[in-house]
């Protein structure tokens, strides 16, 4: 059972998401909150698998709540998904850097919303390749020099991280590297551990900020 926390200051939004999620056999809304601070309290109380958090809220915004959850060892298994009205707004990249596993636009189709919750619960990043490219083009136009920590990665791990940053799934990484999906997952997990990345979304941020992957203008969609 996937346990979900809803954090949004609009009761109507919460009720709509709650009804949609609770209608599924494998998903349960365990708590709700109307402010970031209350959301943090509920997260620590219920230890949800997924925390759906609005960006803009009173008392504590979604970015600060995400950063606090990501830094709390007791919430290591909680994946934060940021909710936004505007898609690629100014908050998205900051939310990913703070520790969010991905983001969803609030007008997403119900089936896509449910799929996204399940994807996040597996620990995968909610970043489609086209969204990743647009986001990186906008916020990381000048990559930094390669981070010394990247030297700890093996050649295959660096290749796997590069493919993660391009938006590939483990199965797609396996096909590209001509290895098994299990081996691909192992490379990704070891890279996450060495780079202290909380999840695949953090791996994407590190890959671009470190200069391991450079935005290519020809990829813009």
């Amino acid at each position: 059972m996937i346990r979900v926390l809803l954090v949004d200051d609009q009761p109507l939004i919460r009720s709509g998401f709650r009804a949609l999620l609770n209608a599924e056999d494998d998903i349960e809304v365990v708590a709700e909150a109307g402010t970031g601070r209350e959301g943090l309290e509920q997260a620590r109380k219920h230890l949800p698998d997924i925390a759906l958090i609005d960006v803009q809220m009173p008392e504590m915004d979604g970015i600060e709540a995400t950063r606090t959850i990501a830094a709390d060892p007791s919430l290591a298994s909680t994946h934060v998904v940021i909710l936004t009205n505007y898609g690629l707004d100014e908050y998205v990249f900051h939310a990913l850097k703070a520790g969010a596993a991905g983001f969803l636009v609030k007008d997403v189709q119900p089936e896509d919303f449910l799929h996204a919750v399940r994807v996040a619960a597996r620990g995968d990043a909610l970043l489609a390749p086209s969204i990743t490219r647009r986001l990186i083009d906008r916020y990381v136009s000048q990559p930094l020099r390669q981070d010394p920590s990247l030297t700890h990665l093996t050649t295959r791990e660096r290749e796997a991280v590069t493919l993660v940053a391009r938006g590939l799934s483990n199965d797609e990484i396996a096909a590209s590297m001509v290895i098994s999906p299990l081996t691909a997952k192992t490379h990704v997990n070891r890279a996450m551990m060495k780079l202290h990345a909380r999840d695949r979304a953090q791996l994407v941020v590190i890959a671009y900020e470190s200069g391991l992957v450079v935005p290519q203008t020809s990829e813009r969609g």
Side-chain angles (χ1 to χ4, degrees), residues 69-116:
I69 288 174
D72 190 333
S74 70
L75 296 173
S77 62
T78 297
H79 302 286
V80 175
V81 176
I82 291 292
L83 299 172
T84 174
N85 288 314
Y86 308 109
L88 283 177
D89 61 27
E90 63 182 292
Y91 301 102
V92 170
F93 189 67
H94 298 299
L96 293 175
K97 290 186 68 175
F103 64 93
L104 288 173
V105 180
K106 289 184 180 181
D107 62 359
V108 65
Q109 293 296 314
E111 59 271 20
D112 293 334
F113 174 71
L114 294 171
H115 174 70

mmCIF file of all heavy atoms in Angstrom, residues 69-116:
data_model
loop_
_atom_site.group_PDB
_atom_site.id
_atom_site.type_symbol
_atom_site.label_atom_id
_atom_site.label_comp_id
_atom_site.label_asym_id
_atom_site.label_seq_id
_atom_site.Cartn_x
_atom_site.Cartn_y
_atom_site.Cartn_z
ATOM 1 N N ILE A 69 12.321 17.896 5.013
ATOM 2 C CA ILE A 69 12.027 16.471 4.934
ATOM 3 C C ILE A 69 13.240 15.701 4.423
ATOM 4 O O ILE A 69 13.613 14.650 4.959
ATOM 5 C CB ILE A 69 10.812 16.222 4.008
ATOM 6 C CG1 ILE A 69 9.523 16.685 4.703
ATOM 7 C CG2 ILE A 69 10.699 14.742 3.621
ATOM 8 C CD1 ILE A 69 8.292 16.623 3.829
ATOM 9 N N ALA A 70 13.897 16.239 3.390
ATOM 10 C CA ALA A 70 15.057 15.572 2.808
ATOM 11 C C ALA A 70 16.209 15.460 3.800
ATOM 12 O O ALA A 70 17.016 14.525 3.729
ATOM 13 C CB ALA A 70 15.507 16.306 1.552
ATOM 14 N N ALA A 71 16.288 16.405 4.729
ATOM 15 C CA ALA A 71 17.389 16.417 5.695
ATOM 16 C C ALA A 71 17.094 15.607 6.948
ATOM 17 O O ALA A 71 17.974 15.417 7.785
ATOM 18 C CB ALA A 71 17.706 17.859 6.085
ATOM 19 N N ASP A 72 15.866 15.115 7.080
ATOM 20 C CA ASP A 72 15.458 14.373 8.278
ATOM 21 C C ASP A 72 15.667 12.873 8.068
ATOM 22 O O ASP A 72 14.982 12.262 7.245
ATOM 23 C CB ASP A 72 13.970 14.654 8.564
ATOM 24 C CG ASP A 72 13.542 14.127 9.920
ATOM 25 O OD1 ASP A 72 14.151 13.157 10.422
ATOM 26 O OD2 ASP A 72 12.574 14.680 10.483
ATOM 27 N N PRO A 73 16.594 12.246 8.791
ATOM 28 C CA PRO A 73 16.867 10.817 8.616
ATOM 29 C C PRO A 73 15.629 9.941 8.829
ATOM 30 O O PRO A 73 15.492 8.886 8.189
ATOM 31 C CB PRO A 73 17.934 10.522 9.678
ATOM 32 C CG PRO A 73 18.595 11.840 9.928
ATOM 33 C CD PRO A 73 17.492 12.851 9.797
ATOM 34 N N SER A 74 14.722 10.370 9.686
ATOM 35 C CA SER A 74 13.527 9.572 9.957
ATOM 36 C C SER A 74 12.575 9.567 8.772
ATOM 37 O O SER A 74 11.660 8.738 8.700
ATOM 38 C CB SER A 74 12.806 10.097 11.201
ATOM 39 O OG SER A 74 12.208 11.361 10.961
ATOM 40 N N LEU A 75 12.776 10.502 7.815
ATOM 41 C CA LEU A 75 11.907 10.593 6.641
ATOM 42 C C LEU A 75 12.644 10.194 5.365
ATOM 43 O O LEU A 75 12.267 10.588 4.263
ATOM 44 C CB LEU A 75 11.372 12.018 6.506
ATOM 45 C CG LEU A 75 10.465 12.485 7.649
ATOM 46 C CD1 LEU A 75 10.125 13.962 7.496
ATOM 47 C CD2 LEU A 75 9.184 11.652 7.687
ATOM 48 N N ALA A 76 13.682 9.390 5.516
ATOM 49 C CA ALA A 76 14.501 8.999 4.362
ATOM 50 C C ALA A 76 13.702 8.246 3.306
ATOM 51 O O ALA A 76 14.045 8.275 2.126
ATOM 52 C CB ALA A 76 15.676 8.150 4.829
ATOM 53 N N SER A 77 12.644 7.571 3.716
ATOM 54 C CA SER A 77 11.851 6.786 2.754
ATOM 55 C C SER A 77 10.671 7.566 2.188
ATOM 56 O O SER A 77 9.882 7.028 1.414
ATOM 57 C CB SER A 77 11.340 5.508 3.423
ATOM 58 O OG SER A 77 10.489 5.812 4.517
ATOM 59 N N THR A 78 10.548 8.833 2.572
ATOM 60 C CA THR A 78 9.460 9.676 2.057
ATOM 61 C C THR A 78 9.915 10.427 0.810
ATOM 62 O O THR A 78 10.894 11.156 0.840
ATOM 63 C CB THR A 78 9.009 10.693 3.118
ATOM 64 O OG1 THR A 78 8.476 10.000 4.250
ATOM 65 C CG2 THR A 78 7.928 11.618 2.558
ATOM 66 N N HIS A 79 9.208 10.232 -0.295
ATOM 67 C CA HIS A 79 9.529 10.901 -1.551
ATOM 68 C C HIS A 79 8.601 12.110 -1.722
ATOM 69 O O HIS A 79 7.376 11.967 -1.682
ATOM 70 C CB HIS A 79 9.363 9.948 -2.729
ATOM 71 C CG HIS A 79 10.203 8.711 -2.626
ATOM 72 N ND1 HIS A 79 11.564 8.711 -2.820
ATOM 73 C CD2 HIS A 79 9.872 7.427 -2.324
ATOM 74 C CE1 HIS A 79 12.038 7.494 -2.660
ATOM 75 N NE2 HIS A 79 11.028 6.699 -2.354
ATOM 76 N N VAL A 80 9.175 13.270 -1.927
ATOM 77 C CA VAL A 80 8.390 14.495 -2.086
ATOM 78 C C VAL A 80 8.126 14.762 -3.566
ATOM 79 O O VAL A 80 9.047 14.744 -4.382
ATOM 80 C CB VAL A 80 9.116 15.707 -1.473
ATOM 81 C CG1 VAL A 80 8.332 16.993 -1.757
ATOM 82 C CG2 VAL A 80 9.300 15.519 0.023
ATOM 83 N N VAL A 81 6.868 15.009 -3.893
ATOM 84 C CA VAL A 81 6.484 15.427 -5.234
ATOM 85 C C VAL A 81 5.866 16.818 -5.111
ATOM 86 O O VAL A 81 4.899 17.010 -4.379
ATOM 87 C CB VAL A 81 5.472 14.452 -5.869
ATOM 88 C CG1 VAL A 81 5.008 14.972 -7.231
ATOM 89 C CG2 VAL A 81 6.092 13.068 -6.021
ATOM 90 N N ILE A 82 6.447 17.784 -5.795
ATOM 91 C CA ILE A 82 5.996 19.162 -5.728
ATOM 92 C C ILE A 82 4.800 19.369 -6.659
ATOM 93 O O ILE A 82 4.816 18.927 -7.812
ATOM 94 C CB ILE A 82 7.131 20.134 -6.108
ATOM 95 C CG1 ILE A 82 8.213 20.142 -5.024
ATOM 96 C CG2 ILE A 82 6.599 21.541 -6.339
ATOM 97 C CD1 ILE A 82 7.764 20.758 -3.704
ATOM 98 N N LEU A 83 3.784 20.058 -6.161
ATOM 99 C CA LEU A 83 2.604 20.403 -6.957
ATOM 100 C C LEU A 83 2.703 21.877 -7.359
ATOM 101 O O LEU A 83 2.989 22.735 -6.522
ATOM 102 C CB LEU A 83 1.331 20.185 -6.142
ATOM 103 C CG LEU A 83 1.080 18.756 -5.653
ATOM 104 C CD1 LEU A 83 -0.112 18.727 -4.701
ATOM 105 C CD2 LEU A 83 0.837 17.826 -6.828
ATOM 106 N N THR A 84 2.486 22.159 -8.626
ATOM 107 C CA THR A 84 2.581 23.536 -9.105
ATOM 108 C C THR A 84 1.474 23.823 -10.114
ATOM 109 O O THR A 84 0.983 22.909 -10.785
ATOM 110 C CB THR A 84 3.962 23.803 -9.760
ATOM 111 O OG1 THR A 84 3.974 25.098 -10.341
ATOM 112 C CG2 THR A 84 4.264 22.785 -10.829
ATOM 113 N N ASN A 85 1.099 25.068 -10.200
ATOM 114 C CA ASN A 85 0.070 25.477 -11.160
ATOM 115 C C ASN A 85 0.654 25.804 -12.528
ATOM 116 O O ASN A 85 -0.072 25.863 -13.520
ATOM 117 C CB ASN A 85 -0.668 26.726 -10.656
ATOM 118 C CG ASN A 85 -1.586 26.420 -9.496
ATOM 119 O OD1 ASN A 85 -2.330 25.456 -9.529
ATOM 120 N ND2 ASN A 85 -1.528 27.250 -8.462
ATOM 121 N N TYR A 86 1.948 26.024 -12.580
ATOM 122 C CA TYR A 86 2.511 26.653 -13.765
ATOM 123 C C TYR A 86 3.555 25.836 -14.513
ATOM 124 O O TYR A 86 4.184 26.326 -15.425
ATOM 125 C CB TYR A 86 3.145 28.000 -13.383
ATOM 126 C CG TYR A 86 2.196 28.871 -12.609
ATOM 127 C CD1 TYR A 86 2.394 29.107 -11.254
ATOM 128 C CD2 TYR A 86 1.085 29.440 -13.225
ATOM 129 C CE1 TYR A 86 1.518 29.909 -10.531
ATOM 130 C CE2 TYR A 86 0.200 30.229 -12.510
ATOM 131 C CZ TYR A 86 0.427 30.457 -11.159
ATOM 132 O OH TYR A 86 -0.440 31.229 -10.454
ATOM 133 N N GLY A 87 3.757 24.581 -14.162
ATOM 134 C CA GLY A 87 4.748 23.793 -14.877
ATOM 135 C C GLY A 87 6.153 24.250 -14.540
ATOM 136 O O GLY A 87 6.567 24.212 -13.390
ATOM 137 N N LEU A 88 6.889 24.714 -15.536
ATOM 138 C CA LEU A 88 8.273 25.129 -15.327
ATOM 139 C C LEU A 88 8.355 26.545 -14.780
ATOM 140 O O LEU A 88 8.821 27.455 -15.439
ATOM 141 C CB LEU A 88 9.059 25.029 -16.636
ATOM 142 C CG LEU A 88 9.478 23.621 -17.031
ATOM 143 C CD1 LEU A 88 10.174 23.653 -18.385
ATOM 144 C CD2 LEU A 88 10.396 23.014 -15.998
ATOM 145 N N ASP A 89 7.882 26.747 -13.565
ATOM 146 C CA ASP A 89 7.998 28.068 -12.968
ATOM 147 C C ASP A 89 9.337 28.198 -12.242
ATOM 148 O O ASP A 89 10.151 27.280 -12.236
ATOM 149 C CB ASP A 89 6.810 28.360 -12.034
ATOM 150 C CG ASP A 89 6.714 27.374 -10.879
ATOM 151 O OD1 ASP A 89 7.771 26.823 -10.488
ATOM 152 O OD2 ASP A 89 5.620 27.166 -10.372
ATOM 153 N N GLU A 90 9.569 29.333 -11.637
ATOM 154 C CA GLU A 90 10.866 29.613 -11.023
ATOM 155 C C GLU A 90 11.178 28.723 -9.833
ATOM 156 O O GLU A 90 12.329 28.613 -9.408
ATOM 157 C CB GLU A 90 10.915 31.077 -10.582
ATOM 158 C CG GLU A 90 9.890 31.393 -9.510
ATOM 159 C CD GLU A 90 9.896 32.855 -9.108
ATOM 160 O OE1 GLU A 90 10.897 33.272 -8.500
ATOM 161 O OE2 GLU A 90 8.925 33.559 -9.413
ATOM 162 N N TYR A 91 10.164 28.049 -9.290
ATOM 163 C CA TYR A 91 10.378 27.258 -8.082
ATOM 164 C C TYR A 91 10.831 25.828 -8.358
ATOM 165 O O TYR A 91 11.380 25.170 -7.479
ATOM 166 C CB TYR A 91 9.081 27.187 -7.267
ATOM 167 C CG TYR A 91 8.548 28.530 -6.837
ATOM 168 C CD1 TYR A 91 7.481 29.114 -7.500
ATOM 169 C CD2 TYR A 91 9.124 29.212 -5.772
ATOM 170 C CE1 TYR A 91 6.994 30.354 -7.118
ATOM 171 C CE2 TYR A 91 8.649 30.449 -5.374
ATOM 172 C CZ TYR A 91 7.577 31.022 -6.050
ATOM 173 O OH TYR A 91 7.101 32.238 -5.679
ATOM 174 N N VAL A 92 10.576 25.328 -9.559
ATOM 175 C CA VAL A 92 10.756 23.903 -9.817
ATOM 176 C C VAL A 92 12.185 23.437 -9.599
ATOM 177 O O VAL A 92 12.430 22.463 -8.881
ATOM 178 C CB VAL A 92 10.283 23.556 -11.242
ATOM 179 C CG1 VAL A 92 10.690 22.139 -11.611
ATOM 180 C CG2 VAL A 92 8.767 23.687 -11.338
ATOM 181 N N PHE A 93 13.150 24.118 -10.215
ATOM 182 C CA PHE A 93 14.532 23.676 -10.079
ATOM 183 C C PHE A 93 14.998 23.773 -8.636
ATOM 184 O O PHE A 93 15.708 22.895 -8.138
ATOM 185 C CB PHE A 93 15.446 24.493 -10.990
ATOM 186 C CG PHE A 93 16.845 23.952 -11.063
ATOM 187 C CD1 PHE A 93 17.094 22.722 -11.661
ATOM 188 C CD2 PHE A 93 17.906 24.647 -10.513
ATOM 189 C CE1 PHE A 93 18.385 22.211 -11.718
ATOM 190 C CE2 PHE A 93 19.191 24.144 -10.565
ATOM 191 C CZ PHE A 93 19.436 22.925 -11.169
ATOM 192 N N HIS A 94 14.577 24.831 -7.938
ATOM 193 C CA HIS A 94 14.953 24.981 -6.526
ATOM 194 C C HIS A 94 14.360 23.841 -5.704
ATOM 195 O O HIS A 94 14.995 23.357 -4.758
ATOM 196 C CB HIS A 94 14.472 26.331 -6.002
ATOM 197 C CG HIS A 94 15.094 27.496 -6.709
ATOM 198 N ND1 HIS A 94 16.444 27.741 -6.712
ATOM 199 C CD2 HIS A 94 14.543 28.477 -7.474
ATOM 200 C CE1 HIS A 94 16.704 28.823 -7.421
ATOM 201 N NE2 HIS A 94 15.573 29.281 -7.895
ATOM 202 N N ALA A 95 13.162 23.409 -6.054
ATOM 203 C CA ALA A 95 12.530 22.305 -5.337
ATOM 204 C C ALA A 95 13.292 21.004 -5.561
ATOM 205 O O ALA A 95 13.495 20.218 -4.628
ATOM 206 C CB ALA A 95 11.078 22.141 -5.797
ATOM 207 N N LEU A 96 13.757 20.780 -6.788
ATOM 208 C CA LEU A 96 14.538 19.576 -7.073
ATOM 209 C C LEU A 96 15.857 19.601 -6.308
ATOM 210 O O LEU A 96 16.294 18.584 -5.755
ATOM 211 C CB LEU A 96 14.796 19.461 -8.572
ATOM 212 C CG LEU A 96 13.560 19.197 -9.437
ATOM 213 C CD1 LEU A 96 13.935 19.223 -10.914
ATOM 214 C CD2 LEU A 96 12.901 17.870 -9.084
ATOM 215 N N LYS A 97 16.497 20.763 -6.262
ATOM 216 C CA LYS A 97 17.739 20.884 -5.503
ATOM 217 C C LYS A 97 17.495 20.659 -4.019
ATOM 218 O O LYS A 97 18.368 20.157 -3.310
ATOM 219 C CB LYS A 97 18.367 22.257 -5.725
ATOM 220 C CG LYS A 97 18.942 22.469 -7.124
ATOM 221 C CD LYS A 97 19.667 23.792 -7.235
ATOM 222 C CE LYS A 97 20.928 23.804 -6.410
ATOM 223 N NZ LYS A 97 21.723 25.051 -6.602
ATOM 224 N N ALA A 98 16.309 21.045 -3.546
ATOM 225 C CA ALA A 98 15.985 20.878 -2.125
ATOM 226 C C ALA A 98 15.739 19.420 -1.764
ATOM 227 O O ALA A 98 15.779 19.054 -0.588
ATOM 228 C CB ALA A 98 14.758 21.712 -1.774
ATOM 229 N N GLY A 99 15.495 18.574 -2.771
ATOM 230 C CA GLY A 99 15.303 17.158 -2.482
ATOM 231 C C GLY A 99 14.037 16.544 -3.019
ATOM 232 O O GLY A 99 13.732 15.385 -2.725
ATOM 233 N N ALA A 100 13.277 17.289 -3.830
ATOM 234 C CA ALA A 100 12.042 16.730 -4.391
ATOM 235 C C ALA A 100 12.366 15.651 -5.415
ATOM 236 O O ALA A 100 13.369 15.726 -6.122
ATOM 237 C CB ALA A 100 11.215 17.834 -5.055
ATOM 238 N N ALA A 101 11.503 14.642 -5.478
ATOM 239 C CA ALA A 101 11.684 13.554 -6.435
ATOM 240 C C ALA A 101 11.155 13.931 -7.808
ATOM 241 O O ALA A 101 11.400 13.230 -8.788
ATOM 242 C CB ALA A 101 10.980 12.291 -5.933
ATOM 243 N N GLY A 102 10.426 15.031 -7.889
ATOM 244 C CA GLY A 102 9.863 15.459 -9.154
ATOM 245 C C GLY A 102 8.752 16.450 -8.916
ATOM 246 O O GLY A 102 8.563 16.947 -7.798
ATOM 247 N N PHE A 103 8.004 16.752 -9.982
ATOM 248 C CA PHE A 103 6.912 17.706 -9.821
ATOM 249 C C PHE A 103 5.770 17.368 -10.761
ATOM 250 O O PHE A 103 5.940 16.696 -11.775
ATOM 251 C CB PHE A 103 7.408 19.133 -10.076
ATOM 252 C CG PHE A 103 7.881 19.388 -11.474
ATOM 253 C CD1 PHE A 103 7.016 19.895 -12.438
ATOM 254 C CD2 PHE A 103 9.183 19.131 -11.832
ATOM 255 C CE1 PHE A 103 7.447 20.129 -13.724
ATOM 256 C CE2 PHE A 103 9.634 19.370 -13.130
ATOM 257 C CZ PHE A 103 8.756 19.864 -14.077
ATOM 258 N N LEU A 104 4.582 17.833 -10.382
ATOM 259 C CA LEU A 104 3.381 17.632 -11.173
ATOM 260 C C LEU A 104 2.635 18.948 -11.312
ATOM 261 O O LEU A 104 2.578 19.733 -10.357
ATOM 262 C CB LEU A 104 2.447 16.612 -10.506
ATOM 263 C CG LEU A 104 2.856 15.147 -10.521
ATOM 264 C CD1 LEU A 104 1.887 14.344 -9.650
ATOM 265 C CD2 LEU A 104 2.865 14.606 -11.944
ATOM 266 N N VAL A 105 2.083 19.193 -12.478
ATOM 267 C CA VAL A 105 1.199 20.332 -12.666
ATOM 268 C C VAL A 105 -0.188 19.921 -12.181
ATOM 269 O O VAL A 105 -0.626 18.792 -12.410
ATOM 270 C CB VAL A 105 1.151 20.742 -14.157
ATOM 271 C CG1 VAL A 105 0.228 21.938 -14.347
ATOM 272 C CG2 VAL A 105 2.549 21.072 -14.656
ATOM 273 N N LYS A 106 -0.875 20.823 -11.500
ATOM 274 C CA LYS A 106 -2.137 20.464 -10.850
ATOM 275 C C LYS A 106 -3.254 20.078 -11.819
ATOM 276 O O LYS A 106 -4.203 19.394 -11.432
ATOM 277 C CB LYS A 106 -2.614 21.602 -9.948
ATOM 278 C CG LYS A 106 -1.773 21.772 -8.694
ATOM 279 C CD LYS A 106 -2.349 22.841 -7.785
ATOM 280 C CE LYS A 106 -1.521 23.013 -6.534
ATOM 281 N NZ LYS A 106 -2.086 24.046 -5.623
ATOM 282 N N ASP A 107 -3.151 20.510 -13.074
ATOM 283 C CA ASP A 107 -4.203 20.151 -14.024
ATOM 284 C C ASP A 107 -3.877 18.879 -14.809
ATOM 285 O O ASP A 107 -4.404 18.628 -15.882
ATOM 286 C CB ASP A 107 -4.482 21.302 -14.994
ATOM 287 C CG ASP A 107 -3.266 21.658 -15.850
ATOM 288 O OD1 ASP A 107 -2.203 21.027 -15.672
ATOM 289 O OD2 ASP A 107 -3.384 22.572 -16.694
ATOM 290 N N VAL A 108 -2.969 18.053 -14.245
ATOM 291 C CA VAL A 108 -2.597 16.788 -14.864
ATOM 292 C C VAL A 108 -3.822 15.881 -14.994
ATOM 293 O O VAL A 108 -4.758 15.946 -14.187
ATOM 294 C CB VAL A 108 -1.498 16.095 -14.029
ATOM 295 C CG1 VAL A 108 -2.025 15.710 -12.652
ATOM 296 C CG2 VAL A 108 -0.943 14.877 -14.742
ATOM 297 N N GLN A 109 -3.834 15.043 -16.018
ATOM 298 C CA GLN A 109 -4.928 14.093 -16.194
ATOM 299 C C GLN A 109 -4.919 13.077 -15.053
ATOM 300 O O GLN A 109 -3.851 12.683 -14.571
ATOM 301 C CB GLN A 109 -4.786 13.367 -17.533
ATOM 302 C CG GLN A 109 -4.974 14.248 -18.753
ATOM 303 C CD GLN A 109 -6.396 14.808 -18.817
ATOM 304 O OE1 GLN A 109 -7.375 14.090 -18.619
ATOM 305 N NE2 GLN A 109 -6.497 16.104 -19.074
ATOM 306 N N PRO A 110 -6.107 12.634 -14.578
ATOM 307 C CA PRO A 110 -6.174 11.707 -13.439
ATOM 308 C C PRO A 110 -5.303 10.468 -13.597
ATOM 309 O O PRO A 110 -4.600 10.071 -12.661
ATOM 310 C CB PRO A 110 -7.660 11.339 -13.387
ATOM 311 C CG PRO A 110 -8.351 12.538 -13.941
ATOM 312 C CD PRO A 110 -7.453 13.045 -15.032
ATOM 313 N N GLU A 111 -5.321 9.852 -14.787
ATOM 314 C CA GLU A 111 -4.528 8.641 -14.972
ATOM 315 C C GLU A 111 -3.029 8.933 -14.902
ATOM 316 O O GLU A 111 -2.239 8.121 -14.394
ATOM 317 C CB GLU A 111 -4.874 7.958 -16.304
ATOM 318 C CG GLU A 111 -4.646 8.809 -17.547
ATOM 319 C CD GLU A 111 -5.858 9.646 -17.923
ATOM 320 O OE1 GLU A 111 -6.725 9.878 -17.057
ATOM 321 O OE2 GLU A 111 -5.946 10.051 -19.108
ATOM 322 N N ASP A 112 -2.622 10.110 -15.381
ATOM 323 C CA ASP A 112 -1.207 10.494 -15.312
ATOM 324 C C ASP A 112 -0.808 10.808 -13.871
ATOM 325 O O ASP A 112 0.320 10.521 -13.453
ATOM 326 C CB ASP A 112 -0.940 11.709 -16.200
ATOM 327 C CG ASP A 112 -1.096 11.390 -17.681
ATOM 328 O OD1 ASP A 112 -0.920 10.215 -18.063
ATOM 329 O OD2 ASP A 112 -1.419 12.311 -18.461
ATOM 330 N N PHE A 113 -1.729 11.395 -13.131
ATOM 331 C CA PHE A 113 -1.475 11.705 -11.723
ATOM 332 C C PHE A 113 -1.251 10.414 -10.927
ATOM 333 O O PHE A 113 -0.285 10.298 -10.165
ATOM 334 C CB PHE A 113 -2.664 12.480 -11.155
ATOM 335 C CG PHE A 113 -2.585 12.728 -9.680
ATOM 336 C CD1 PHE A 113 -1.673 13.630 -9.144
ATOM 337 C CD2 PHE A 113 -3.427 12.050 -8.811
ATOM 338 C CE1 PHE A 113 -1.607 13.862 -7.780
ATOM 339 C CE2 PHE A 113 -3.370 12.273 -7.445
ATOM 340 C CZ PHE A 113 -2.458 13.181 -6.925
ATOM 341 N N LEU A 114 -2.118 9.433 -11.113
ATOM 342 C CA LEU A 114 -2.001 8.160 -10.398
ATOM 343 C C LEU A 114 -0.723 7.433 -10.789
ATOM 344 O O LEU A 114 -0.034 6.859 -9.941
ATOM 345 C CB LEU A 114 -3.224 7.292 -10.673
ATOM 346 C CG LEU A 114 -4.549 7.827 -10.118
ATOM 347 C CD1 LEU A 114 -5.718 7.005 -10.648
ATOM 348 C CD2 LEU A 114 -4.534 7.813 -8.590
ATOM 349 N N HIS A 115 -0.402 7.475 -12.075
ATOM 350 C CA HIS A 115 0.837 6.847 -12.537
ATOM 351 C C HIS A 115 2.042 7.513 -11.886
ATOM 352 O O HIS A 115 2.991 6.829 -11.459
ATOM 353 C CB HIS A 115 0.928 6.950 -14.060
ATOM 354 C CG HIS A 115 2.239 6.467 -14.614
ATOM 355 N ND1 HIS A 115 2.601 5.134 -14.617
ATOM 356 C CD2 HIS A 115 3.284 7.152 -15.174
ATOM 357 C CE1 HIS A 115 3.803 5.010 -15.158
ATOM 358 N NE2 HIS A 115 4.241 6.214 -15.496
ATOM 359 N N ALA A 116 2.007 8.836 -11.789
ATOM 360 C CA ALA A 116 3.122 9.577 -11.213
ATOM 361 C C ALA A 116 3.339 9.213 -9.749
ATOM 362 O O ALA A 116 4.481 9.084 -9.290
ATOM 363 C CB ALA A 116 2.874 11.071 -11.344
#
